[in-house]
Amino acid sequence: MLRFAVAGLAANKVRSALTMLGVLIGVASVILLLAVGNGSSVAVKDSITSLGTNALTVSSSASRGSVTAAKKLTVEDAKALATATDTPSVKSVAPVVTTSGTALYGNISYQPGQIVGTYPAYFETSNLKVGKGDYFSADDVLNSRKVAVLGSTTATELFATEDPVGKKITIGGTPFTVVGVLKTKGSTGFNDPDDVVIAPLPTVQNAFTGFGSVNQILVQASSAEATTEAQSDITRILMGTHAIKDATKVDFRISNQTSLLSARESTDRTFTVLLGAVAAISLLVGGIGITNIMLVTVAERTREIGIRKALGAPRAVILGQFLAESTLLSVIGAGLGVLVGIAGSHFPVVGIKPVVIPESVLGAFGIAVAIGLFFGSYPANRAAALRPIDALRHE
Amino acid sequence: MRAAKPPVIQIRRVTKSYGHGDAVVHALRGPMTGGGEPLGVDLDVAEGDYVAVMGSSGSGKSTLMNILGCLDVPTSGRYLLDGTDVGHLDEGQLSLVRNRKIGFVFQSFNLVPRTTALAQVELPLAYAGVRAAERRRRATAALGLVGLADRAGHKPNQLSGGQQQRVAVARALVTAPAMLLADEPTGNLDSHSTEEVLGIIDGLNARGRTVVVITHEDEVALHAKRVIRLVDGAIVSDVRQAPVDGPPPALAAAAGVVA
């Protein structure tokens, strides 16, 4: 039967090839588009882990509906969070001030993306690893030492190939000793996380921002699961320090990196589903192509069907023959589509590196074969149902 | 002894009409009653007989052939083929009957395109579920019988008309059917090929195969032992040219010349 099917397809090579092309494009686009969608969400997942999943950022906000200006976050707020004894969910607290300025080394001048003043806990919470030298210590913070840790981009800009550790740089007139260089983290979005200078909080406050408010308080939850609990603990403590009774009128905002990114991830999922739907439609069109071609084939071979029936071919044999042909079309088309899809996913598409989902390969192949059977069954049934006398009269 | 056997074909009051109401056309009607109602056609064909059904186009001979070949069902009446009433069979059983009891030879050869002669002849055996080795053996033997053993690997477009028709004859007889049903088997052939094909059919009948030939050519009818003429869906004459038991007239004549 398979031999008959192959011979039937070979009788019309161009037509069979074009039909297969329809299925091929359908299967390849399902695999490829889903891989692109998946690749984009894999990239997001990677950036979640690189951002530090347990990090919570507390920032000041103007409370809506309140006439009074929002109370700024202060180092005292951070200390209240750090010293609270009944909050096992909070692992560490780092107040953060950010500013900008120009760094000088010798005659090289460079403006880093951000100058950050904070506590040593910041490094762990933000998932920053030191590559050369060391982090600054709590002792450096207590004594307001003029030390700094550079991001890799900043280090390269200022020192090129030189080893920055131990060198002195000047930022806004204040000399800093470089104690460490961070490992390259890689860009996760619009800003380069490696383009920073990180120094002890009081040093930065002293030199730039003054000892008023802080921009953010970075809190590390004890685990990824504890972030929700930590969030409510922070809210409770800060409502105390800010003397707010109404939970709807808080003047600060707690954002969770994970929740931000999972929002992006769900956007990605929608994107993937849409891509998949478009691809599925092209697969469907490929299937309709099979129906069309098989109908033409049946019409063309009506007489042959009549002969076979006159010779005593049972209905099932005719049905099987045409089904085998349409399934063979879709199997070969789908097989080639899988190859093209996998080959195509080795090339980045609009900046996204596609990551093939193994299920999509099996799924697309399976659906294509099922489509061959389904869309082939109508013409095959028509062939099998032909009355031999009508089929024989057909010219 | 042979007379004791039931006829291969028994047709009783068979009619076939197309259309409805005023537009009804009786393709096969037999004699009419006084009221204009068709009585239907009666026909018996004994085993080993060689019957030529003659008539001009529109006489109902093709309709009769389709009914005899179980390709079409009569509007009314009974048809017993080799003792089986085929009127009550469903589609699947009919295809089985066609496969086992009837060997078809058509005017336009009706070979399956792109298929070698050997595979053509194997087809009915394949549908009958015969195993591959046995199939090959019987198909080769049948091709040998029609003198085409050396053309087994040829496809229809590589064969002449006469050769194609001989392949069709081989295909018709390979299942050892109860009846060989030929519809204008020589209609598309030149005189030389006609003689070849008729000679083969004569030979088959001489070996006891029942043959029904539909034709409008008198030369073809001369080969038959019995000639039936149809006019307007009714049998108008039934002439026996040679006994059922004997050889077909053409072979008998040839033997007579030699003797």
Side-chain angles (χ1 to χ4, degrees):
Chain A
M1 195 151 82
L2 207 61
R3 215 155 36 86
F4 278 134
V6 172
L9 294 185
N12 262 302
K13 292 193 185 65
V14 174
R15 191 201 285 171
S16 304
L18 286 174
T19 313
M20 279 178 203
L21 190 66
V23 181
L24 185 155
I25 290 172
V27 170
S29 60
V30 165
I31 292 173
L32 201 54
L33 292 182
L34 286 180
V36 168
N38 186 42
S40 143
S41 74
V42 164
V44 171
K45 268 184 206 138
D46 286 350
S47 55
I48 290 176
T49 35
S50 77
L51 271 168
T53 43
N54 305 350
L56 292 165
T57 309
V58 185
S59 50
S60 171
S61 69
S63 65
R64 252 160 259 173
S66 165
V67 191
T68 51
K71 198 182 175 212
K72 296 278 173 73
L73 291 171
T74 59
V75 178
E76 279 65 45
D77 289 332
K79 280 182 179 153
L81 290 174
T83 52
T85 48
D86 56 345
T87 54
S89 60
V90 175
K91 190 177 173 194
S92 65
V93 178
V96 178
V97 294
T98 52
T99 184
S100 57
T102 306
L104 292 168
Y105 172 70
N107 55 3
I108 302 164
S109 160
Y110 175 70
Q111 184 167 10
Q114 244 189 352
I115 298 166
V116 175
T118 186
Y119 289 176
Y122 179 81
F123 295 106
E124 192 195 336
T125 311
S126 307
N127 198 25
L128 296 170
K129 301 273 187 318
V130 83
K132 270 182 233 162
D134 203 353
Y135 307 105
F136 55 78
S137 63
D139 194 41
D140 292 328
V141 174
L142 281 177
N143 296 304
S144 296
R145 290 204 185 103
K146 297 188 176 69
V147 290
V149 174
L150 304 184
S152 59
T153 306
T154 313
T156 316
E157 291 290 343
L158 284 173
F159 295 95
T161 53
E162 248 182 284
D163 183 4
V165 178
K167 302 285 190 323
K168 272 196 165 30
I169 59 171
T170 311
I171 305 172
T174 310
F176 285 85
T177 306
V178 178
V179 292
V181 177
L182 297 173
K183 275 184 190 163
T184 305
K185 201 173 173 183
S187 175
T188 53
F190 303 106
N191 36 29
D192 181 359
D194 299 316
D195 192 12
V196 289
V197 173
I198 302 168
L201 177 71
T203 317
V204 175
Q205 284 180 316
N206 191 19
F208 307 101
T209 61
F211 291 91
S213 59
V214 297
N215 299 69
Q216 294 176 334
I217 300 173
L218 200 60
V219 178
Q220 186 182 22
S222 50
S223 70
E225 293 73 41
T227 48
T228 319
E229 194 192 336
Q231 207 157 335
S232 59
D233 283 340
I234 294 163
T235 310
R236 184 169 46 79
I237 292 164
L238 290 187
M239 276 169 68
T241 57
H242 288 198
I244 298 167
K245 295 280 177 285
D246 187 351
T248 59
K249 288 182 180 167
V250 292
D251 55 358
F252 54 88
R253 206 170 47 205
I254 304 168
S255 63
N256 182 338
Q257 306 278 34
T258 320
S259 69
L260 280 176
L261 285 166
S262 63
R264 231 185 97 186
E265 205 193 353
S266 79
T267 320
D268 268 6
R269 202 169 299 129
T270 314
F271 177 62
T272 307
V273 167
L274 277 177
L275 285 177
V278 170
I281 288 171
S282 73
L283 194 56
L284 188 74
V285 172
I288 293 170
I290 291 184
T291 317
N292 199 7
I293 284 313
M294 290 313 294
L295 280 175
V296 171
T297 307
V298 167
E300 219 173 46
R301 286 161 59 183
T302 301
R303 205 181 165 80
E304 180 192 324
I305 295 164
I307 301 168
R308 289 178 185 275
K309 286 201 141 188
L311 294 180
R315 193 189 159 90
V317 168
I318 305 284
L319 191 71
Q321 190 190 338
F322 283 92
L323 270 187
E325 225 168 274
S326 67
T327 308
L328 197 67
L329 268 179
S330 63
V331 165
I332 297 176
L336 293 173
V338 165
L339 292 182
V340 169
I342 290 176
S345 65
H346 284 90
F347 305 99
V349 179
V350 288
I352 300 167
K353 169 114 189 59
V355 178
V356 173
I357 315 171
E359 289 86 354
S360 79
V361 175
L362 285 177
F365 188 83
I367 288 171
V369 173
I371 275 179
L373 270 173
F374 178 76
F375 284 95
S377 66
Y378 170 62
N381 255 315
R382 257 176 70 151
L386 279 173
R387 296 200 313 144
I389 175 151
D390 295 335
L392 275 175
R393 275 202 200 120
H394 185 92
E395 286 303 331
Chain B
M1 210 164 75
R2 217 171 234 167
K5 288 198 174 184
V8 174
I9 292 172
Q10 267 185 298
I11 280 184
R12 290 291 172 269
R13 302 177 63 116
V14 161
T15 66
K16 178 73 187 177
S17 51
Y18 301 96
H20 302 279
D22 290 343
V24 71
V25 176
H26 297 292
L28 213 56
R29 57 177 173 83
M32 301 295 253
T33 60
E37 282 302 304
L39 280 174
V41 174
D42 288 351
L43 178 67
D44 281 2
V45 176
E47 188 179 330
D49 207 349
Y50 189 165
V51 181
V53 178
M54 296 197 69
S56 54
S57 49
S59 63
K61 63 182 195 299
S62 291
T63 307
L64 181 63
M65 137 99 187
N66 288 335
I67 289 172
L68 290 180
C70 297
L71 293 170
D72 208 350
V73 286
T75 309
S76 69
R78 268 158 56 87
Y79 172 26
L80 271 72
L81 173 63
D82 210 14
T84 316
D85 187 347
V86 296
H88 305 296
L89 301 182
D90 65 21
E91 158 98 35
Q93 290 167 315
L94 278 179
S95 66
L96 209 64
V97 166
R98 287 197 292 269
N99 185 255
R100 302 282 158 82
K101 310 242 168 171
I102 304 164
F104 284 100
V105 178
F106 298 95
Q107 175 174 5
S108 47
F109 319 141
N110 278 350
L111 297 182
V112 179
R114 304 178 301 276
T115 310
T116 63
L118 187 64
Q120 305 270 3
V121 180
E122 280 187 29
L123 261 186
L125 295 174
Y127 293 141
V130 176
R131 286 191 22 248
E134 171 74 0
R135 220 152 66 196
R136 174 128 316 184
R137 192 185 64 70
R138 282 167 65 177
T140 311
L143 277 178
L145 206 64
V146 298
L148 285 177
D150 56 335
R151 295 281 193 276
H154 289 230
K155 294 179 180 172
N157 54 5
Q158 298 166 322
L159 296 170
S160 73
Q163 288 169 334
Q164 287 190 52
Q165 195 62 300
R166 276 147 69 191
V167 171
V169 172
R171 186 179 66 183
L173 62 88
V174 74
T175 51
M179 163 179 63
L180 189 72
L181 194 54
D183 182 15
E184 304 272 11
T186 59
N188 283 2
L189 298 179
D190 58 53
S191 58
H192 175 68
S193 301
T194 298
E195 283 311 314
E196 258 179 15
V197 170
L198 288 177
I200 290 167
I201 295 177
D202 285 349
L204 289 173
N205 179 249
R207 261 165 268 141
R209 183 80 60 224
T210 311
V211 177
V212 175
V213 180
I214 314 281
T215 186
H216 63 267
E217 292 172 66
D218 291 327
E219 305 88 81
V220 176
L222 285 175
H223 286 257
K225 296 173 181 169
R226 179 183 173 195
V227 179
I228 294 170
R229 285 184 191 275
L230 279 176
V231 174
D232 292 340
I235 294 172
V236 293
S237 77
D238 187 344
V239 179
R240 180 152 295 284
Q241 307 186 137
V244 175
D245 290 349
L251 287 186
V257 168
V258 171

